[in-house]
């Protein structure tokens, strides 16, 4: 599926389009279909996102997995500082990005 | 120094009349045979060699330097070269001229500005006042910091 | 070291005001990202994988203890408690918020620091020999010239929108500790037969996707014409450097395409013109700056001996301490490369500890090295043991300088939006594989450098062993290079064969060191043996 991501303008946080707004968690991402360009234009103009773009991903139950490793690292955080990632309690989180 | 004035859509540091002659290309200007040897205004594009104008400075009243994209900085060198060789006519930055570049352009010798997206005279005046002092000697007559530190008696 | 006067301070203060206004306009929607991006980049603010990243300039890698302490405090106040020292002698913070960045810059300005021109297509922060003013082999102290250069390049109005970024390094000894020939401009201060100082200009070096070693363009420019020569060299580049293809826009491509002779001819013509304009600061200005770098307070008649009875201390002294020009003093390098650690990272507490050590034991000075380590340049030999004990207690007494685990690594795909592969996990695995210090010392000097993409921030072309991360159909793959050097014997490494996965590359590095140990002759480093015997025995062992 195609999902939409970007960074929050003031904080720079990685964010994902949920259909209604933006979330820090990739699992909240939804298929954006044909709306993507209009969404990007609207959200960018409202300064709710910076540099939004569409990526490929797959959904398996409740989890969403971006197709490319770069986006998986964006979704998690630095694999060398899992304490600062979105899954600080999961020592195996780093293997998810590979 | 002449104050900033806003006249005929041109931001200027000049008190003479705005030159309204049509600007011709550098090639047309310097080519005495097939060009336009009577033109008094020329438009310099980023790829043009401003040095080609040096033999003709005395018949120039206006040099427009075009910035198709503000990221292309060749126009800054073109401006300085013209001033360093004694050009005193209007030197006008046109095109993608943004508020954040105005101060540097002035330092390189531009004394007129026609931004594609208009800039108010107030905002421009603030931009020109960005730097209280300057580190380099250029062609704008400002005294660089090193000269202030070591005033010549 | 240099101290700002009111003029210098006014410039950085004005910059903070300007950036605060620009951020306000961006957040209010008056500036689009397309127009804001180059403005924030000129203040070192990137948008990276996880957040904004701010790169702070450390001019020619020199800091005092107050500045270092401020860097630690900033890590706590605006970031997540750590900072990353870079291959350009700067520090960068990985978790900065755009709306807090102006306050951070104001905190920097309060200690005479800034983030000016640490990114963007302009003249970047000047780098220099990290042992400047201390090294026993120094001919001329490059720091006054570097400071002159810093002021000249700051907000230079003509060269703010160059075809591409522009990096200058300056050294003043025969030993090149600054990778000088791999810069857009490298300046070596030399003395002629009459004993006069001059600037030798190397122009058109660089790493990136087209690595090149800079040729000499001017052999001897008088120091009081250095700025004029730079104006000429930059003007030719600004006018004629390629702008049609960002991958061919660095000055090395211009010099290569028109040739060193033609480039020199154009610069000489421009130089002759510029000399008529009086752009050069007067001799008194260079003398004023030199005054700040004169004797930082050396004591005379200090004992020159060091008690080496503690074997761990003796090991560290042997590996991480260098000869000082002043009797009774030594140069200490603090390795930020613990086994399994992240090269160049330091916690806020470690940064503050290093600041305290500089204040108490190093005449208030620190340096950042391009190898991502920290130098205490002026330590009394009598204080070495105390310094070592304090470092050891903070996990900072790694005795691995210039050994295989003293790895240069870029942030890679863990942080960087340009990267194709991760660099840090590789550095961690290699440093763990070779964690035994006795084994490392047996292998001896071996400079291993890792980049996570072709842009070569990890200097892989210049590693005795270099590693380049690439993206192969969505998985990380690593290419191995041998034979690079960024020292006075500058050379570029070459890829030896097909790439590896993460574990494969660690094994390949180990096999390479085995070949070296088996084949080396007396006194040879890994690089020397490689240069003598060629790649074949290594390929045989690694791919055979």
């Amino acid at each position: 599926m195609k999902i939409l991501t970007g960074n929050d303008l003031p904080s720079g946080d990685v964010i994902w389009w949920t259909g209604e707004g933006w979330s820090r968690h990739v699992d909240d991402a939804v298929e954006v279909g044909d709306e993507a360009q209009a969404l990007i234009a609207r959200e960018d103009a409202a300064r709710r996102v910076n540099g939004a773009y569409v990526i490929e991903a797959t959904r398996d139950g409740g989890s969403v997995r971006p197709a490319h490793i770069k986006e998986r690292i964006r979704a998690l955080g630095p694999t060398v500082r899992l304490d600062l990632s979105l899954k600080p309690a999961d020592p195996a989180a780093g293997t998810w990005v590979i | 120094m002449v104050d900033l004035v806003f006249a005929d859509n041109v931001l200027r540091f000049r008190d003479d009349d705005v030159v309204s002659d049509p600007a011709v290309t550098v090639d047309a200007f310097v080519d005495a045979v097939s060009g336009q040897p009577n033109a008094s205004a020329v438009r310099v594009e980023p790829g043009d060699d401003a040095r080609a104008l040096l033999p003709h400075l005395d018949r120039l009243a206006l040099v427009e330097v075009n910035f198709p994209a503000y990221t292309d900085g060749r126009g800054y060198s073109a401006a300085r070269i013209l001033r360093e060789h004694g050009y005193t006519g209007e030197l006008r930055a046109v095109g993608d001229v943004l508020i954040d570049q105005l101060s540097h352009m002035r330092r390189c010798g531009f004394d007129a500005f026609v931004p594609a997206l208009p800039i108010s005279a107030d905002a421009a005046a603030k931009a020109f006042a960005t730097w209280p002092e300057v580190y380099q000697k250029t062609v704008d007559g400002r005294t660089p910091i090193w000269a202030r530190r070591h005033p010549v008696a | 070291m240099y101290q700002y006067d009111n003029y210098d301070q006014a410039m950085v203060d004005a910059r903070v005001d300007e950036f605060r206004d620009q951020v306000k306009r961006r957040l209010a929607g008056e500036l689009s990202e397309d127009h804001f991006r180059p403005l924030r980049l000129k203040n070192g603010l990137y948008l990276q994988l996880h957040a904004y990243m701010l790169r702070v300039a450390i001019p020619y890698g020199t800091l005092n203890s107050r500045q270092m302490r401020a860097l630690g405090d900033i890590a706590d106040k605006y970031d997540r408690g750590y900072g990353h020292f870079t291959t350009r002698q700067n520090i960068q913070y990985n978790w900065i918020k755009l709306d807090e960045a102006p306050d951070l810059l104001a905190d920097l300005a309060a200690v005479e620091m800034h983030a000016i021109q640490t990114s963007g297509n302009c003249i970047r922060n000047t780098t220099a020999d990290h042992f400047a003013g201390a090294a026993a082999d120094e001919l001329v102290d490059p720091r006054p010239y570097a400071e002159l250069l810093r002021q000249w390049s700051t907000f230079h109005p003509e060269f703010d929108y160059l075809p591409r970024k522009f990096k200058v390094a300056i050294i003043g000894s025969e030993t090149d500790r600054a990778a000088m020939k791999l810069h857009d401009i490298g300046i070596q201060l030399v003395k002629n037969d009459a004993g006069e100082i001059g600037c030798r200009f190397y122009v058109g070096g660089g790493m990136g996707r087209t690595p090149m070693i800079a040729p000499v363009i001017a052999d001897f420019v008088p120091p009081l014409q250095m700025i004029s020569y730079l104006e000429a060299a930059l003007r030719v580049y600004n006018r004629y450097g390629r702008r049609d293809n960002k991958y061919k826009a660095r000055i090395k491509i211009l010099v290569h395409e028109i040739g060193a002779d033609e480039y020199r001819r154009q610069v000489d013509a421009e130089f002759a013109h510029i000399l008529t304009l009086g752009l050069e600061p007067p001799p008194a200005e260079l003398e004023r700056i030199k005054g700040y770098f004169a004797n930082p307070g050396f004591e005379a008649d200090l004992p020159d001996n060091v008690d080496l009875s503690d074997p761990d201390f003796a090991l560290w002294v042997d590996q991480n301490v260098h000869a000082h020009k002043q009797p009774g003093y030594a140069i200490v390098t603090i390795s930020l490369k613990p086994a399994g650690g992240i090269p160049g990272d330091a916690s806020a507490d470690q940064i503050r500890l290093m600041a305290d050590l500089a204040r108490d034991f190093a005449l208030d000075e620190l340096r950042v090295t391009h190898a991502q380590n920290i130098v205490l340049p002026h330590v009394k030999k009598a204080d070495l043991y105390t310094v070592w004990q304090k470092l050891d207690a903070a996990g900072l007494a790694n005795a691995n300088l210039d050994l295989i685990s003293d790895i240069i690594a870029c942030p890679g795909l863990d942080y960087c939006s340009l990267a194709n592969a991760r660099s840090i996990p590789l550095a961690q695995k290699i440093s763990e594989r070779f964690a035994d210090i006795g084994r490392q010392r047996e292998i001896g000097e071996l400079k291993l450098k890792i980049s996570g993409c072709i842009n070569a921030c990890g200097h892989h072309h210049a590693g005795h062993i270099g590693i380049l991360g690439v993206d192969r159909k969505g998985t990380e793959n690593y290419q191995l290079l041998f034979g690079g050097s960024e020292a006075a014997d500058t050379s570029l490494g070459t890829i030896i064969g097909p790439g590896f996965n993460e574990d494969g590359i660690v094994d390949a590095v180990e096999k390479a060191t085995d070949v070296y140990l088996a084949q080396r002759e007396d006194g040879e480093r890994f690089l020397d043996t490689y240069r003598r015997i060629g790649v074949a025995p290594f390929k045989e062992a690694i791919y055979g």
Side-chain angles (χ1 to χ4, degrees):
Chain A
M1 65 183 195
K2 292 193 186 312
I3 62 175
L4 186 58
T5 185
N7 294 77
D8 181 59
L9 177 62
S11 72
D13 286 354
V14 175
I15 51 178
W16 310 88
W17 178 248
T18 68
E20 295 167 348
W22 296 91
S23 167
R24 263 90 177 150
H25 299 278
V26 69
D27 291 345
D28 297 335
V30 297
E31 163 77 40
V32 285
D34 301 333
E35 294 179 65
Q37 291 315 313
L39 257 174
I40 290 172
R42 188 190 76 199
E43 292 296 304
D44 187 76
R47 301 185 303 286
R48 286 187 288 261
V49 69
N50 192 10
Y53 55 99
V54 175
I55 64 160
E56 281 290 336
T58 52
R59 174 175 284 286
D60 180 10
S63 62
V64 173
R65 182 177 172 83
H68 196 275
I69 183 173
K70 177 177 286 187
E71 298 304 332
R72 295 196 290 275
I73 290 175
R74 284 183 75 240
L76 174 69
T79 66
V80 293
R81 287 298 301 264
L82 288 174
D83 57 318
L84 304 177
S85 76
L86 289 182
K87 294 182 176 173
D90 178 4
T95 58
W96 177 77
V97 307
I98 300 169
Chain B
M1 193 171 78
V2 179
D3 287 339
L4 179 67
V5 294
F6 191 54
D8 299 340
N9 290 319
V10 186
L11 289 159
R12 301 174 93 221
F13 286 93
R14 302 182 68 89
D15 53 9
D16 53 0
D17 291 336
V18 172
V19 180
S20 53
D21 300 7
V24 304
T25 65
V26 171
D27 283 349
F29 185 83
V30 300
D31 187 335
V33 180
S34 62
Q36 293 166 279
N38 297 319
S40 64
V42 68
R43 182 183 178 93
V44 176
E45 298 293 339
D48 290 336
D49 181 5
R51 282 210 164 77
L53 300 175
L54 298 184
H56 313 285
L57 294 182
D58 54 351
R59 64 179 174 100
L60 267 173
L62 168 67
V63 177
E64 281 186 1
V65 177
N66 187 29
F67 290 83
Y70 75 94
T71 47
D72 189 330
R74 285 177 282 187
Y76 295 89
S77 289
R80 263 187 86 172
I81 286 168
L82 291 170
R83 290 296 191 212
E84 285 168 2
H85 287 85
Y87 175 65
T88 57
E90 180 167 337
L91 189 51
R92 187 186 288 176
V94 304
D96 196 15
V97 173
L98 304 169
I99 193 162
D100 301 286
Q101 283 87 52
L102 288 180
S103 167
H104 280 4
M105 287 177 169
R106 175 97 177 102
R107 297 225 61 218
C108 288
F110 288 103
D111 57 6
F113 309 85
V114 183
L117 292 173
I119 297 171
S120 76
D122 285 351
K126 190 179 167 206
F128 287 118
T130 301
W131 306 113
E133 302 288 348
V134 294
Y135 277 120
Q136 310 82 7
K137 180 177 174 186
T138 62
V139 289
D140 62 349
R142 292 186 74 175
T143 303
I145 288 170
W146 50 256
R148 291 204 187 285
R149 285 174 177 147
H150 308 282
V152 179
Chain C
M1 54 180 279
Y2 188 71
Q3 287 175 5
Y4 282 11
D5 64 5
N6 290 338
Y7 295 114
D8 298 309
Q9 190 65 48
M11 294 301 277
V12 295
D13 290 345
R15 180 60 150 202
V16 174
D17 292 343
E18 184 197 42
F19 190 59
R20 196 181 291 284
D21 179 63
Q22 288 165 345
V23 169
K24 194 175 101 189
R25 284 190 281 141
R26 173 68 185 116
L27 291 172
E30 294 165 25
L31 273 178
S32 71
E33 185 66 12
D34 279 349
H35 281 132
F36 179 62
R37 185 183 304 110
L39 304 177
R40 66 168 160 76
L41 287 177
K42 287 210 165 63
N43 286 286
L45 193 68
Y46 288 74
L47 186 54
Q48 291 288 21
L49 281 191
H50 311 293
Y52 294 98
M53 178 204 91
L54 186 84
R55 182 179 296 148
V56 175
I58 300 176
Y60 36 100
T62 298
L63 292 154
N64 62 28
S65 67
R66 182 164 154 260
Q67 293 171 323
M68 188 72 161
R69 170 164 287 277
L71 294 180
D73 291 345
I74 283 168
D76 274 338
K77 186 174 171 187
Y78 299 100
D79 202 86
R80 298 192 176 178
Y82 68 107
H84 177 74
F85 290 98
T86 77
T87 52
R88 298 212 69 256
Q89 299 180 303
N90 293 322
I91 186 171
Q92 52 199 37
Y93 298 104
N94 295 302
W95 305 94
I96 298 305
K97 297 189 187 324
L98 176 60
D99 47 359
E100 293 180 358
D103 290 338
L104 194 167
L105 294 187
D107 285 5
L108 284 174
V111 291
E112 303 179 7
M113 295 186 79
H114 59 74
I116 294 163
Q117 291 167 216
T118 55
S119 178
N121 292 335
C122 50
I123 305 169
R124 301 289 189 87
N125 183 37
T126 298
T127 56
D129 184 346
H130 49 253
F131 288 170
D137 65 354
E138 184 166 276
L139 195 64
V140 184
D141 185 346
R143 293 172 300 168
Y145 303 90
E147 175 59 27
L148 204 60
L149 225 156
R150 180 191 75 81
Q151 296 187 24
W152 165 77
S153 62
T154 298
F155 311 134
H156 196 295
E158 186 177 341
F159 305 130
D160 218 17
Y161 295 95
L162 294 167
R164 202 73 177 84
K165 56 188 169 184
F166 204 90
K167 301 174 180 178
V168 182
I170 181 163
I171 68 172
S173 65
E174 281 299 320
T175 310
D176 182 1
R177 285 173 285 259
M180 184 261 303
K181 292 176 201 163
L182 296 171
H183 282 73
D184 295 289
I185 290 184
I187 302 173
Q188 183 180 10
L189 296 165
V190 295
K191 282 188 181 168
N192 64 12
D193 293 340
E196 297 161 327
I197 295 170
C199 307
R200 181 175 295 153
F201 276 81
Y202 293 83
V203 184
M207 292 191 248
R209 71 184 58 214
T210 318
M212 290 186 189
I213 299 169
V216 174
I217 297 296
D219 202 50
F220 194 90
V221 175
L224 292 170
Q225 296 179 354
M226 180 181 80
I227 296 300
S228 300
Y229 195 84
L230 284 163
E231 292 264 359
L234 266 292
R235 178 174 286 176
V236 171
Y237 171 56
N238 190 43
R239 300 185 78 210
Y240 297 110
R242 287 182 62 170
R243 293 176 186 263
D244 59 323
N245 179 342
K246 72 177 280 195
Y247 301 121
K248 295 184 175 177
R250 294 289 288 269
I251 194 174
K252 61 192 172 189
I253 303 294
L254 173 68
V255 174
H256 180 73
E257 286 185 349
I258 69 175
D261 289 341
E262 173 60 16
Y263 175 74
R264 182 182 302 113
R265 188 192 67 75
Q266 293 187 19
V267 173
D268 284 349
E270 195 70 63
F271 184 45
H273 159 66
I274 285 173
L275 283 176
T276 67
L277 302 174
L279 305 186
E280 198 81 29
E285 176 63 358
L286 184 59
E287 291 308 312
R288 182 189 76 91
I289 295 172
K290 278 183 181 172
Y292 288 107
F293 296 102
N295 187 335
F298 294 128
E299 293 174 34
D301 305 322
L302 292 176
D304 223 18
N305 60 311
V306 180
D307 177 357
L308 297 171
S309 52
D310 181 329
D312 289 338
F313 171 64
L315 192 82
W316 176 80
V317 169
D318 188 50
Q319 203 64 50
N320 289 40
V321 175
H322 284 84
H324 201 286
K325 65 178 185 183
Q326 182 75 14
Y329 286 84
I331 306 170
V332 165
T333 303
I334 303 168
S335 162
L336 299 180
K337 317 290 177 64
I342 298 176
D345 273 17
S347 70
D349 287 339
Q350 288 177 326
I351 293 170
R352 283 186 289 254
L353 173 85
M354 293 188 279
D356 289 348
L357 291 176
R359 180 195 59 204
D360 297 340
F361 299 103
L363 298 178
D364 209 39
E365 274 192 45
L366 303 107
R367 311 287 173 76
V368 182
T369 81
H370 82 269
Q372 303 178 279
N373 294 316
I374 303 294
V375 169
L376 299 174
H378 315 298
V379 180
K380 285 181 198 167
K381 288 184 177 173
D383 289 332
L384 280 173
Y385 193 66
T386 308
V387 168
W388 173 76
Q389 286 178 307
K390 289 176 184 290
L391 288 171
D392 196 33
L396 289 170
N398 315 293
N400 62 348
L401 191 69
D402 294 337
L403 300 179
I404 192 169
S405 67
D406 182 13
I407 296 168
I408 287 181
C410 71
L413 194 51
D414 278 301
Y415 291 100
C416 177
S417 58
L418 298 175
N420 290 320
R422 287 174 292 166
S423 305
I424 297 166
L426 258 190
Q428 292 174 313
K429 283 194 176 178
I430 293 169
S431 65
E432 281 169 347
R433 177 75 64 94
F434 291 91
D436 181 83
I437 194 69
R439 182 180 181 199
Q440 287 190 55
R441 283 167 61 84
E442 174 63 22
I443 296 167
E445 181 184 308
L446 201 164
K447 300 198 176 181
L448 197 151
K449 303 176 196 286
I450 307 171
S451 301
C453 80
I454 194 80
N455 290 310
C457 297
H459 295 186
H460 64 277
H461 299 295
H464 300 177
I465 295 178
I467 296 173
L468 168 64
V470 297
D471 177 343
R472 206 177 63 178
K473 295 175 187 160
T475 59
E476 295 163 298
N477 191 263
Y478 297 94
Q479 294 181 331
L480 194 56
L481 298 86
F482 287 161
S485 170
E486 60 193 5
D489 61 346
T490 309
S491 58
L492 299 169
T494 46
I495 294 172
I496 66 153
F500 303 87
N501 65 17
E502 191 173 294
D503 290 325
I505 196 96
V506 182
D507 291 339
V509 167
E510 190 167 33
K511 285 174 185 165
T513 61
D514 290 342
V515 171
Y516 157 67
L517 289 172
Q519 301 261 6
R520 71 174 166 190
E521 294 179 352
D522 279 354
E524 277 186 342
R525 304 168 299 166
F526 175 90
L527 180 64
D528 303 320
T529 302
Y530 170 79
R531 285 173 173 168
R532 178 174 56 80
I533 68 176
V535 74
F538 293 94
K539 284 183 80 164
E540 171 71 24
I542 291 167
Y543 296 105

